[in-house]
Amino acid sequence: MRDVVLVGAGPMGEAWIDTVSRRDDVRLAAVVDLRPDAARDALGRRGMELPVFASLDDALAAGSADIVLNVTIPAAHLAVSSTALRAGVPVLSEKPLTETLAEGLELTALSELTGTLVATSQSRRFSRGIIAFRDALRPYGGAAQLSARFFQNPRFGGFRDEMDSPLLRDMAIHTFDQARFLLDDEPTRVYCEEFSPPWSWYRGAAAADAVFGFAGGARFSYSGSWCADGLMTSWNGDWHASAAGGSATWDGETTVRVQASDEPRTAELPDAAEGLDGALDEFLTALDGGAPPSGEVHANIWSLAMVEGAVASSATGRPVEFAELFADAHARAVAAAPSEVAAVLRAWSEPAPRRA
């Protein structure tokens, strides 16, 4: 049985409380939130009484922890995950890994320095639909041209309405990470334009079009909006992939269609844990000696880089090369990181980390 400390008791924190509670090999040991009453309310709605703390330092000092779930706002991700890693406690974090790519590189180096696992829960990788979509393309050598449309209209209120680049920074990372999963490759280049339709209620740009080039030659195009009233896509988007000799589509939910030279067919969905359950299952398997989770920091930082690259391209009006993006972030990380972490960064053979 592993003890879990949850940091962040907002709506996603509550979803993680329920996810942990469904398992018999982990248990929630404590909850941390800057608003202790909010944490107590979340627990009380579930008939649970557990220790509540205002800081992770206090929680770690008061009891045992085998896993930290970091469900704080992005601006707090580096500080919370770093505290856990320095205490030797593995971290499963909500996306994004950190708020910036430079911070992500610092956290990657700290994970190496401490020898402690940190991974991001990219829960939208864990759906039966996306697995069937990926598997349907394998007989044709994988996709060479991949596209995703994402059109939704959430009215969250709060910080998202005031963010710069709310679509790219808060939501598109899911779709970008799914593209990496489907292509099993890393991006090399991106061109992106952000904009807002005149009816948008967001301060920042709430729509974007982007094209990514990948190392193996594939292209991924993204078109999205967070203020699209009517005819909305799934929260997983609507996908089309072309490969040598065949194509496939995925509606973002449960329908995967495949066609080669014959009639179109519907692919069968595999049995698989989905969402947060799948992300936690994969993380625990890694702690038990299995393969690194797909969201392990060395790999997942590339999804964060796709966001930062798209935002940078939109700001400059030109394509962004990922080699340049990582070189700049690496220099900023070395300048900002504690000396022992900066030493790890300087020892890397290249600015961009590679999958463990």
Side-chain angles (χ1 to χ4, degrees):
M1 179 71 70
R2 289 186 169 97
D3 287 335
V4 175
V5 173
L6 171 71
V7 188
M12 279 305 302
E14 293 197 48
W16 274 109
I17 292 173
D18 295 337
T19 300
V20 171
S21 298
R22 284 193 287 270
R23 301 186 67 105
D24 57 11
D25 54 352
V26 291
R27 64 186 175 195
L28 193 61
V31 178
V32 177
D33 199 284
L34 293 173
R35 308 155 302 150
D37 286 345
R40 293 187 185 96
D41 288 345
L43 293 169
R45 285 191 289 274
R46 291 160 175 79
M48 302 171 69
E49 290 187 13
L50 292 170
V52 172
F53 300 91
S55 77
L56 179 57
D57 283 319
D58 290 343
L60 295 176
S64 65
D66 300 301
I67 298 169
V68 164
L69 288 176
N70 185 353
V71 198
T72 58
I73 61 172
H77 281 190
L78 176 62
V80 169
S81 294
S82 295
T83 296
L85 293 184
R86 290 186 180 279
V89 182
V91 179
L92 182 58
S93 174
E94 270 298 314
K95 60 82 186 167
L97 173 69
T98 52
E99 192 169 36
T100 69
L101 185 58
E103 290 181 348
L105 293 174
E106 179 180 337
L107 192 64
T108 305
L110 181 59
S111 176
E112 292 183 7
L113 181 68
T114 60
T116 305
L117 175 65
V118 58
T120 306
S121 164
Q122 294 284 178
S123 56
R124 293 181 185 273
R125 282 188 176 217
F126 299 94
S127 78
R128 296 188 300 153
I130 197 171
I131 294 169
F133 185 45
R134 179 199 62 188
D135 291 350
L137 292 163
R138 283 181 168 169
Y140 309 108
Q145 187 175 8
L146 179 68
S147 64
R149 297 168 55 257
F150 175 87
F151 290 87
Q152 277 285 343
N153 67 345
R155 285 169 168 80
F156 294 118
F159 73 92
R160 292 179 180 86
D161 285 5
E162 300 302 321
M163 286 178 68
D164 294 330
S165 307
L167 174 69
L168 288 180
R169 290 200 176 276
D170 195 58
M171 185 64 206
I173 192 169
H174 284 301
T175 313
F176 295 170
D177 184 76
Q178 287 171 309
R180 289 183 53 245
F181 171 75
L182 291 166
L183 296 172
D184 192 27
D185 200 3
E186 306 300 11
T188 59
R189 193 171 191 258
V190 60
Y191 177 73
C192 178
E193 292 184 359
E194 286 182 286
F195 59 97
S196 275
W199 61 85
S200 173
W201 52 91
Y202 296 90
R203 183 185 64 79
D209 290 291
V211 178
F212 294 86
F214 277 71
R219 294 291 186 272
F220 166 60
S221 60
Y222 170 85
S223 182
S225 171
W226 239 6
C227 54
D229 286 326
L231 297 178
M232 291 168 293
T233 65
S234 160
W235 276 92
N236 282 314
D238 183 47
W239 294 76
H240 186 283
S242 294
S247 296
T249 61
W250 176 41
D251 67 353
E253 297 297 332
T254 59
T255 302
V256 175
R257 299 280 285 165
V258 189
Q259 185 174 20
S261 57
D262 52 358
E263 292 297 312
R265 63 180 176 84
T266 300
E268 293 185 7
L269 302 184
D271 290 328
E274 297 189 293
L276 301 184
D277 295 289
L280 182 56
D281 190 57
E282 183 188 61
F283 190 76
L284 293 171
T285 296
L287 293 182
D288 287 334
S294 59
E296 193 273 335
V297 61
H298 290 79
N300 184 255
I301 198 168
W302 285 85
S303 296
L304 177 59
M306 290 179 75
V307 173
E308 195 151 307
V311 171
S313 174
S314 178
T316 61
R318 64 174 181 82
V320 168
E321 301 290 336
F322 278 76
E324 297 173 4
L325 187 76
F326 272 104
D328 178 69
H330 185 270
R332 288 186 283 115
V334 168
S339 58
E340 71 278 12
V341 178
V344 174
L345 288 163
R346 290 191 189 96
W348 288 359
S349 60
E350 56 183 326
R354 298 296 171 179
R355 305 184 195 197

